Amino acid sequence: MKNLIVIKFGGSSITKKSENKFEMNKAVLTQAANELADALEKQKELQVALVCGVGPFGHTNVVKYDLNNGIKTEKQREGVKITNEACDFVGKEVAKALKKAGVKTKYIPGYEVCIQSGKKVTGFSILPYGKALDEGLVPITAGIMVKDDELVWSPMSGDVVVAQLAEHLKPKKVLMGTDVDGIYTADPKVDKNAELILNINKENLEEVLEKASHSNSVDVTGGMKGKLEKLAKQLNGVPAEIFNLLKEGNLEKALSGKEITSTKIKL
Ligand code: ADP
């Protein structure tokens, strides 16, 4: 039995999300790619499906072209095209970094596998992921605009892809890399008294959701609270860990089951 782990490289870590710049955070991406390559090399049973947040490449475009509530005008249709090119760019940059580190990947565009209705997933094709994994490749999907029965196109976040992969592939765990150590009692970038929540379980979930405020960068898909809400609904018992991808060694340790500072979720 293979050991499958779904990993998310958060937009806040691999792009310049907090500066709202259309730029990759190359140093973090290279470091994460190398750590992933090392883990795959050392653990022969390890399989990975990778999801990328796209930070401003998605969110800023969605706001700029007004793509969050239905596509009606030619300008919006053009905006969808521009946004998807930008999101594909992020996915391909991640694939390039992994290739450089010696990992073979398969980029799977979200709009080829997912369909939504009123911004909710109504269909997700899991076959391409199984095929890629069987071929020894790391499938990569980025947050992106997908076809929507009601809205023509709507944004699908990386977090939604994580939830879909967790539900359908039943991985051993989900690792969510972001730019803070995990989920805090308040946004740690705003509130210096925010405390890291080490464990989230059925007993404290509601209380944590109440406290978790929104991400402080432009994020049309719900920030930390939205992330947790979606995960909570769809993890189906798969354990998840939210950790800081900016800290060197964290990904490698998390992949080999070592303790790191993080929030562990088991619902
Ligand atoms: P990513 O792009 O990595 O998926 P987000 O930007 O959506 O991540 O969410 C991470 C950001 O959420 C952090 O940079 C942090 O400032 C903000 N944030 C808001 N509330 C919280 C909270 N309760 N705990 C942790 N981070 C929070």
Side-chain angles (χ1 to χ4, degrees):
M1 182 64 184
K2 290 275 190 179
N3 176 18
L4 174 65
I5 298 185
V6 170
I7 305 176
K8 181 178 169 214
F9 289 175
S12 63
S13 52
I14 59 163
T15 73
K16 302 268 172 84
K17 183 170 176 173
S18 57
E19 295 161 55
N20 205 6
K21 275 194 197 154
F22 283 64
E23 265 178 53
M24 300 302 292
N25 198 342
K26 287 233 162 109
V28 172
L29 180 54
T30 305
Q31 176 190 298
N34 287 336
E35 289 184 29
L36 177 54
D38 276 356
L40 286 167
E41 176 69 32
K42 282 189 197 134
Q43 302 175 50
K44 294 296 169 209
E45 293 297 293
L46 177 62
Q47 283 186 321
V48 166
L50 189 58
V51 178
C52 320
V54 292
F57 292 88
H59 304 297
T60 304
N61 275 325
V62 167
V63 172
K64 180 174 173 192
Y65 296 102
D66 185 22
L67 307 180
N68 206 17
N69 297 299
I71 307 305
K72 297 174 199 92
T73 66
E74 189 50 44
K75 186 153 182 270
Q76 286 176 316
R77 277 190 285 278
E78 184 61 20
V80 170
K81 207 170 146 243
I82 291 167
T83 306
N84 279 3
E85 277 167 13
C87 296
D88 278 336
F89 169 80
V90 175
K92 285 174 187 168
E93 283 294 297
V94 173
K96 256 199 246 167
L98 286 186
K99 189 175 176 199
K100 224 170 166 188
V103 177
K104 292 197 182 108
T105 62
K106 167 84 185 157
Y107 179 61
I108 302 175
Y111 46 78
E112 285 184 6
V113 288
C114 184
I115 181 146
Q116 304 197 124
S117 185
K119 294 190 241 179
K120 298 235 158 33
V121 176
T122 49
F124 194 94
S125 165
I126 206 70
L127 282 176
Y129 296 90
K131 187 163 178 281
L133 291 167
D134 283 349
E135 288 170 1
L137 309 174
V138 170
I140 301 177
T141 296
I144 209 152
M145 298 290 296
V146 302
K147 281 277 172 67
D148 189 300
D149 286 343
E150 272 178 37
L151 303 169
V152 189
W153 291 88
S154 60
M156 174 196 62
S157 72
D159 295 329
V160 168
V161 183
V162 169
Q164 288 297 319
L165 296 184
E167 188 179 331
H168 297 296
L169 294 175
K170 305 260 177 302
K172 280 225 171 116
K173 66 177 167 187
V174 164
L175 294 176
M176 310 261 292
T178 183
D179 69 339
V180 291
D181 283 349
I183 297 184
Y184 288 75
T185 49
D187 186 341
K189 287 186 185 155
V190 177
D191 186 343
K192 291 291 158 241
N193 296 320
E195 283 170 35
L196 183 66
I197 300 162
L198 297 177
N199 292 289
I200 297 178
N201 45 44
K202 283 198 183 80
E203 283 70 49
N204 68 357
L205 176 67
E206 281 309 313
E207 190 191 330
V208 173
L209 276 176
E210 227 166 80
K211 282 184 186 156
S213 50
H214 278 263
S215 159
N216 59 15
S217 11
V218 183
D219 193 332
V220 288
T221 48
M224 203 46 107
K225 183 164 184 267
K227 196 185 303 301
L228 186 57
E229 267 172 344
K230 278 183 205 117
L231 267 180
K233 270 191 216 132
Q234 280 170 293
L235 276 171
N236 289 317
V238 176
E241 192 166 2
I242 301 187
F243 70 101
N244 197 333
L245 192 65
L246 305 184
K247 289 190 179 163
E248 200 173 343
N250 260 358
L251 178 61
E252 228 253 297
K253 284 189 196 133
L255 281 169
S256 47
K258 291 187 192 127
E259 280 298 319
I260 54 169
T261 303
S262 68
T263 299
K264 290 201 180 80
I265 306 178
K266 184 84 178 82
L267 297 166

